[in-house]
Amino acid sequence: MSKTDPGNFFEDFQLGQRLVHATPRTVTAGDVALYTALYGPRFSLFSSDEFARASGLAAAPIDPLVAFHIVFGKTVPDISLNAVANLGYAEGRFLAPVFPGDTLTAASDVIGLKENSNGKTGVVYVRTTGTNQRGEAVLSYVRWVMVRKRDPAAVVADQSVPDLAKAVAPSDLVAPPGLDFSVYNYALAGAPHAFEDYEIGEKIDHVDGMAVEEAEHQMATRLWQNTAKVHFNQFERAKDPSGRRLVYGGVVISTAKALSFNGLQNAGLILGINGGRHVAPFFAGATVFAWSQVLDKADLGSVGALRLRLVATKDKPCADFPDKDGEGVYDPAVILDFDYWAAVPKRG
Amino acid sequence: MSKTDPGNFFEDFQLGQRLVHATPRTVTAGDVALYTALYGPRFSLFSSDEFARASGLAAAPIDPLVAFHIVFGKTVPDISLNAVANLGYAEGRFLAPVFPGDTLTAASDVIGLKENSNGKTGVVYVRTTGTNQRGEAVLSYVRWVMVRKRDPAAVVADQSVPDLAKAVAPSDLVAPPGLDFSVYNYALAGAPHAFEDYEIGEKIDHVDGMAVEEAEHQMATRLWQNTAKVHFNQFERAKDPSGRRLVYGGVVISTAKALSFNGLQNAGLILGINGGRHVAPFFAGATVFAWSQVLDKADLGSVGALRLRLVATKDKPCADFPDKDGEGVYDPAVILDFDYWAAVPKRG
Amino acid sequence: MSKTDPGNFFEDFQLGQRLVHATPRTVTAGDVALYTALYGPRFSLFSSDEFARASGLAAAPIDPLVAFHIVFGKTVPDISLNAVANLGYAEGRFLAPVFPGDTLTAASDVIGLKENSNGKTGVVYVRTTGTNQRGEAVLSYVRWVMVRKRDPAAVVADQSVPDLAKAVAPSDLVAPPGLDFSVYNYALAGAPHAFEDYEIGEKIDHVDGMAVEEAEHQMATRLWQNTAKVHFNQFERAKDPSGRRLVYGGVVISTAKALSFNGLQNAGLILGINGGRHVAPFFAGATVFAWSQVLDKADLGSVGALRLRLVATKDKPCADFPDKDGEGVYDPAVILDFDYWAAVPKRG
């Protein structure tokens, strides 16, 4: 039917095109409570208005991953409704804190197009920006997805692949205006570890495991108005070899991030996303475990920043840090390899 | 026990009786977030305070279905605790928008009573009104249910069946005061279709499918303090031929309504309920699909109104519009046939 | 890893020690909505700002059990991460109402230590206090848990068992400041029963049954940032004889309390917790039923107080009040025996 949105196919995208995504979304305390119920995060900055005020903010901001999920969800109908695979993220920057009451909109610029040699699919690169009601960008990130062509014969003349940074440069990270961890209450935050206590290369097993149920990932994904069929249409998914609804990759990111509290209690505030790969599909019923590695450190002045690699597994505890081997082949239990920058208090 | 509420039986009702229902309920942003998580609606007017303000309202009102569910839930202990079946709705009108912070109460007037020939049950007709904290009616609707008699020998002398309108007249529809779609942002709303673009008779397949889990329908139903046993008491339901908890019909309505975004992006605001039938019981685990048909159109001046028929199925996509046949026998996949008026922006 | 919290073992506790628990938590309307969705409570005082104002309060306070769960959740990482069993509660007092917007913190004083004769475990007694952002205590209770020793050879020299009251004395109960039930609206509250209508010894079957799903208890428990592994780590639990995640005992308390509305409609406000025992473990999939007995009554002046025993069962309706026998052996269906004081309006 003409009034039903079929989504865009590869040949519908053009280099330089700007897509304004539907459904502006006012963030509320209800979203925050649901995020807590769905993942159990314990980072004080997002949990307590008082803690946030003592850290120089007006109130507790939402977890940057909530802003990411909201903005990502809006892009689905326009970018990835006909996607075969979500291939990667890069150059993610959180540019302004988001508070309950703020309204977010999203738009994406097509920055790369590359048809695959089979002529049936192509890779679409977009830079997506989330904007608040004052017109301020709150986050920006690049995502690339493999999208089906509607018509294999269609010609996409203008193609190019963007140069993307391997990691966000520390000088491009933006701490929330006013953020001040100089009187940081380590006891309330749950651990004494500061910027100075983390070493590059250090690995941390987050120990705890979290099972994910069908109802939970559906609620988590609908909350962000992400309507990708693979997460919800069990009738259709029954025909897939897995026979299962696929869990939205963002559910795995948020589950692993919440688990990372146990060892990264003071590194809750994500400042940038360097990259991310959903190494294997995840289905409800399994238990998520996670470990982290410190990849880099940067002194941002008022706060420190840790570049962290967050690896999540399904049904495999992480005491021995399941990873990829020398050939880049992942342990079959690994489902996520996520690379980000987080703010931490400095002791000195 | 005398302090436990046994609910009303058919002979407990009297024509002209007014029932004041228990548990006033303050609506909050938490309810809105849960509604989003449970159904994934994407209508901008309910999602964004900014969009609502641009439409002449003070903030984003709650989806009228939320007000309906809250008011409906309150009536259950008094009206339908001993019901055999929920038979129909008519003359539903949304009379004032409801915003987070408003407190709703509900009361019902008994407007019809008709004992069944078997002497064991009777049909009770009530007109239920939801009222806010300023004493303003926010919605009103008629519902009729088949209720058991406590004592088959009981005599209900005063009986009558009310005359009910087949549809709410356009002149009886009430748009929210101040609603102004003259600067409607179609891009943000998700589709360019205005009042002028819909034709009477037109059918729209909403394409997407949504699985419903036990945890989801229980949460959805408890949220409205609807405590009908069939939705929750699995121990008792195990003795039923289905062996399953019955999903509250309102869950099907809200699921189908959220799916209808894909094709009716600008028709989110329900103004009236003409009728509704839960054609078949629905159980968790199945996937809901939906299609709509434009039954009528009315120009209300500031906005247009579409009279829409929303048909939902279980485990059957709706590309071929599963329906009832010439004899009125429904396709066995159909679970809901719902008739309502929605506001849409006019282009001209 | 040194940055991962291993929790405290028996020999880590010292008499007189104070533990400040992590993660302050601002309570919001989102928490209230989730509590409603998870349990379906219908007590007007917590449901309606208008009803609460008519009762002398500034707005609807949160259900005292919500405050209890939040504070309890914070204690888990420090007190019961290595617990074998949660043995009991005593001397619970709700000292000030909590409203959305308040921020709660928690601290515990070690008031008793008693090593078990096997040398492998010991019982830890703590008095936990929840405090709001103004430094006011909002609740206080004693809990004792059996905790593993890390090293069986470790010596805990200083041991003692505290004297605990069998019940909170009525004179120690604190009604919320300003609480005034003199114009109590019994119709809106759902039942006409006042303090005078309840008799000591009276038993009430709450009739209704509520099934609990895995997704529901996980969400309910994470919402309070309670991360005890037994509730979430299905991979690990699969090795347990039950093969199942254990439902947090607080879920059973809140489910039974919500069911108790049917018969105790006006006794929603808990003032004190005299004791509580999780008689048997509870797993998702079963249906909870409940009954109550009036153990005592006290006239607090402005309001009455009922001392109530709340007994919950799994998969067994409570028309015949399943209980313990003369030897103290419980009916195998009983899962909870909870003893508390609740405020009720007085007629006179």
Side-chain angles (χ1 to χ4, degrees), chain A residues 33 37-38 41-42 44 47-50 188 190 197-198 202-203 205 207 210-211 213 216 262-263 287 315 317, chain C residues 1 3-5 22-26 30-31 34 77 103 133 215 218-219 222-223 225 227 232-235 245:
Chain A
L38 290 162
R42 290 180 283 160
S44 288
S47 177
S48 165
D49 284 337
E50 301 294 321
L188 277 184
D197 301 316
Y198 289 92
E202 180 177 352
K203 293 181 178 180
D205 170 22
V207 178
M210 181 63 69
E213 299 290 326
E216 292 168 350
N262 200 347
T287 301
D315 287 338
Chain C
M1 296 298 302
K3 292 195 178 67
T4 302
D5 182 7
T23 312
R25 175 76 152 74
T26 301
D31 298 316
L34 268 161
T103 298
Q133 70 280 8
Q218 289 205 141
M219 290 184 69
R222 280 186 302 240
L223 182 59
Q225 301 171 311
T227 60
F232 302 112
N233 189 335
Q234 179 55 36
F235 179 80
R245 281 158 280 174

Side-chain angles (χ1 to χ4, degrees), chain C residues 43-104:
Chain C
F43 302 103
S44 288
L45 191 68
F46 313 126
S47 177
S48 165
D49 283 338
E50 300 295 320
F51 194 96
R53 281 181 200 121
S55 303
L57 304 182
I62 63 170
D63 189 313
L65 286 177
V66 172
F68 177 79
H69 292 317
I70 289 176
V71 168
F72 184 100
K74 300 194 179 323
T75 70
V76 167
D78 299 319
I79 307 293
S80 48
L81 209 63
N82 300 302
V84 181
N86 193 30
L87 297 174
Y89 309 102
E91 300 186 2
R93 297 164 69 219
F94 293 91
L95 301 164
V98 178
F99 298 96
D102 286 349
T103 298
L104 301 185

Side-chain angles (χ1 to χ4, degrees), chain B residues 1-6 20-31 34 38 74 77 81 101 103 105-106 133 214-216 218-220 222-227 229 232-236 239 245, chain C residues 29-30 33-34 36-42 44 47-51 187-190 193 197-198 202-205 207-213 215-216 219 261-263 265 287 289 315-317 321:
Chain B
M1 296 296 303
S2 65
K3 291 194 178 68
T4 302
D5 181 8
V20 173
H21 305 301
T23 311
R25 174 77 150 76
T26 301
V27 182
T28 73
D31 298 316
L34 268 160
L38 289 162
K74 300 195 178 321
L81 210 61
T103 298
T105 56
Q133 70 280 7
E214 298 281 11
E216 291 168 349
Q218 291 205 141
M219 290 184 69
R222 282 187 301 241
L223 181 60
W224 319 127
Q225 300 172 312
N226 175 339
T227 61
K229 304 163 207 258
F232 303 113
N233 188 336
Q234 179 55 36
F235 178 80
E236 185 68 25
K239 302 168 190 163
R245 281 158 279 174
Chain C
L34 268 161
T36 303
L38 289 162
Y39 303 111
R42 289 180 284 161
S44 288
S47 177
S48 165
D49 283 338
E50 300 295 320
F51 194 96
L188 276 185
H193 315 301
D197 301 317
Y198 289 92
E202 179 178 354
K203 293 180 178 180
I204 301 167
D205 170 22
V207 179
D208 304 314
M210 182 62 70
V212 176
E213 299 291 325
E216 292 168 350
M219 290 184 69
F261 178 85
N262 200 347
Q265 292 87 341
T287 301
F289 295 87
D315 286 337
K316 183 164 189 172
F321 309 110

Side-chain angles (χ1 to χ4, degrees), chain C residues 13-339:
Chain C
F13 293 96
Q14 298 168 46
L15 280 179
Q17 180 185 12
R18 163 154 274 224
L19 297 125
V20 174
H21 304 302
T23 312
R25 175 76 152 74
T26 301
V27 182
T28 72
D31 298 316
V32 175
L34 268 161
Y35 195 75
T36 303
L38 289 162
Y39 303 111
R42 289 180 284 161
F43 302 103
S44 288
L45 191 68
F46 313 126
S47 177
S48 165
D49 283 338
E50 300 295 320
F51 194 96
R53 281 181 200 121
S55 303
L57 304 182
I62 63 170
D63 189 313
L65 286 177
V66 172
F68 177 79
H69 292 317
I70 289 176
V71 168
F72 184 100
K74 300 194 179 323
T75 70
V76 167
D78 299 319
I79 307 293
S80 48
L81 209 63
N82 300 302
V84 181
N86 193 30
L87 297 174
Y89 309 102
E91 300 186 2
R93 297 164 69 219
F94 293 91
L95 301 164
V98 178
F99 298 96
D102 286 349
T103 298
L104 301 185
T105 56
S108 296
D109 295 299
V110 179
I111 62 168
L113 287 173
K114 179 66 188 168
E115 189 167 342
N116 286 320
S117 54
N118 62 14
K120 294 180 181 170
T121 57
V123 179
V124 178
Y125 297 78
V126 292
R127 186 180 304 278
T128 297
T129 304
T131 303
N132 68 19
Q133 70 280 8
R134 291 181 297 278
E136 301 159 353
V138 299
L139 73 89
S140 167
Y141 65 94
V142 172
R143 173 163 82 114
W144 55 107
V145 290
M146 192 188 303
V147 177
R148 269 186 285 273
K149 290 175 74 177
R150 185 190 295 104
D151 172 12
V155 175
V156 177
D158 198 7
Q159 300 196 20
S160 93
V161 172
D163 260 339
L164 297 171
K166 284 227 154 46
V168 178
S171 56
D172 287 337
L173 298 175
V174 180
L179 186 73
D180 177 2
F181 282 161
S182 59
V183 292
Y184 197 85
N185 187 327
Y186 290 87
L188 276 185
H193 315 301
F195 180 65
E196 293 81 355
D197 301 317
Y198 289 92
E199 289 181 26
I200 293 174
E202 179 178 354
K203 293 180 178 180
I204 301 167
D205 170 22
H206 301 305
V207 179
D208 304 314
M210 182 62 70
V212 176
E213 299 291 325
E214 297 282 10
E216 292 168 350
H217 80 82
Q218 289 205 141
M219 290 184 69
T221 308
R222 280 186 302 240
L223 182 59
W224 318 128
Q225 301 171 311
N226 175 339
T227 60
K229 305 163 207 258
V230 290
H231 309 315
F232 302 112
N233 189 335
Q234 179 55 36
F235 179 80
E236 184 68 26
R237 293 294 299 169
K239 302 168 189 162
D240 182 84
S242 71
R244 309 286 304 281
R245 281 158 280 174
L246 197 62
V247 173
Y248 162 48
V251 168
V252 176
I253 295 173
S254 282
T255 301
K257 182 66 166 52
L259 290 172
S260 80
F261 178 85
N262 200 347
L264 289 169
Q265 292 87 341
N266 299 318
L269 183 66
I270 297 186
L271 299 177
I273 295 175
N274 302 308
R277 185 172 162 199
H278 299 291
V279 176
F282 181 72
F283 303 102
T287 301
V288 176
F289 295 87
W291 63 275
S292 293
Q293 183 170 26
V294 181
L295 296 181
D296 202 356
K297 298 176 64 171
D299 190 331
L300 302 187
S302 62
V303 297
L306 299 178
R307 183 178 167 194
L308 295 159
R309 186 180 161 220
L310 175 64
V311 178
T313 62
K314 57 181 170 193
D315 286 337
K316 183 164 189 172
C318 292
D320 61 351
F321 309 110
D323 204 345
K324 51 188 171 187
D325 63 20
E327 321 255 289
V329 178
Y330 282 92
D331 181 300
V334 173
I335 53 177
L336 174 73
D337 195 345
F338 190 69
D339 180 342

Side-chain angles (χ1 to χ4, degrees), chain B:
Chain B
M1 296 296 303
S2 65
K3 291 194 178 68
T4 302
D5 181 8
N8 289 309
F9 290 85
F10 181 68
E11 64 265 40
D12 298 327
F13 294 95
Q14 298 168 46
L15 279 179
Q17 180 186 10
R18 162 155 275 225
L19 297 124
V20 173
H21 305 301
T23 311
R25 174 77 150 76
T26 301
V27 182
T28 73
D31 298 316
V32 176
L34 268 160
Y35 194 75
T36 303
L38 289 162
Y39 304 110
R42 290 180 284 161
F43 301 103
S44 287
L45 191 68
F46 314 125
S47 177
S48 165
D49 284 338
E50 300 294 320
F51 193 96
R53 282 180 200 121
S55 302
L57 305 182
I62 61 170
D63 189 313
L65 286 177
V66 172
F68 176 78
H69 293 317
I70 289 176
V71 168
F72 183 100
K74 300 195 178 321
T75 70
V76 168
D78 298 320
I79 306 294
S80 49
L81 210 61
N82 300 302
V84 180
N86 193 30
L87 298 174
Y89 309 101
E91 300 186 3
R93 296 164 69 218
F94 293 91
L95 301 164
V98 178
F99 298 96
D102 285 350
T103 298
L104 301 184
T105 56
S108 296
D109 295 299
V110 179
I111 61 168
L113 288 173
K114 178 66 187 166
E115 190 167 342
N116 287 319
S117 54
N118 62 14
K120 294 179 179 168
T121 56
V123 178
V124 179
Y125 297 78
V126 292
R127 188 181 302 276
T128 298
T129 304
T131 303
N132 68 18
Q133 70 280 7
R134 291 181 297 277
E136 300 158 352
V138 299
L139 73 91
S140 167
Y141 66 94
V142 172
R143 174 163 82 114
W144 56 107
V145 290
M146 193 188 302
V147 176
R148 269 186 286 273
K149 290 177 73 176
R150 184 191 294 104
D151 172 12
V155 174
V156 177
D158 199 7
Q159 301 194 20
S160 93
V161 172
D163 260 339
L164 296 172
K166 284 226 154 47
V168 178
S171 57
D172 286 337
L173 298 175
V174 180
L179 185 72
D180 177 2
F181 282 161
S182 59
V183 292
Y184 197 86
N185 187 327
Y186 290 87
L188 277 185
H193 314 302
F195 180 64
E196 293 81 355
D197 301 315
Y198 289 91
E199 288 180 27
I200 294 175
E202 179 178 355
K203 293 181 179 180
I204 302 166
D205 170 22
H206 301 306
V207 179
D208 303 315
M210 182 63 69
V212 176
E213 299 291 324
E214 298 281 11
E216 291 168 349
H217 81 82
Q218 291 205 141
M219 290 184 69
T221 309
R222 282 187 301 241
L223 181 60
W224 319 127
Q225 300 172 312
N226 175 339
T227 61
K229 304 163 207 258
V230 291
H231 309 316
F232 303 113
N233 188 336
Q234 179 55 36
F235 178 80
E236 185 68 25
R237 294 293 300 171
K239 302 168 190 163
D240 182 83
S242 72
R244 309 288 303 279
R245 281 158 279 174
L246 198 61
V247 172
Y248 161 49
V251 167
V252 176
I253 297 173
S254 282
T255 301
K257 182 65 165 55
L259 290 173
S260 80
F261 177 84
N262 200 348
L264 289 169
Q265 292 88 342
N266 298 319
L269 183 66
I270 298 186
L271 299 177
I273 296 175
N274 302 308
R277 185 172 163 200
H278 298 291
V279 176
F282 182 71
F283 302 103
T287 302
V288 177
F289 295 86
W291 62 276
S292 293
Q293 183 169 27
V294 180
L295 297 181
D296 202 356
K297 297 177 63 171
D299 190 330
L300 302 186
S302 62
V303 297
L306 299 178
R307 183 177 169 196
L308 295 159
R309 186 179 162 222
L310 176 63
V311 177
T313 62
K314 57 182 170 194
D315 287 338
K316 181 162 189 173
C318 291
D320 61 352
F321 310 110
D323 204 346
K324 52 188 170 186
D325 62 20
E327 321 255 290
V329 178
Y330 281 92
D331 180 300
V334 173
I335 54 178
L336 174 74
D337 195 345
F338 190 70
D339 181 342
Y340 68 101
W341 283 105
V344 279
K346 295 195 300 183
R347 188 171 294 113

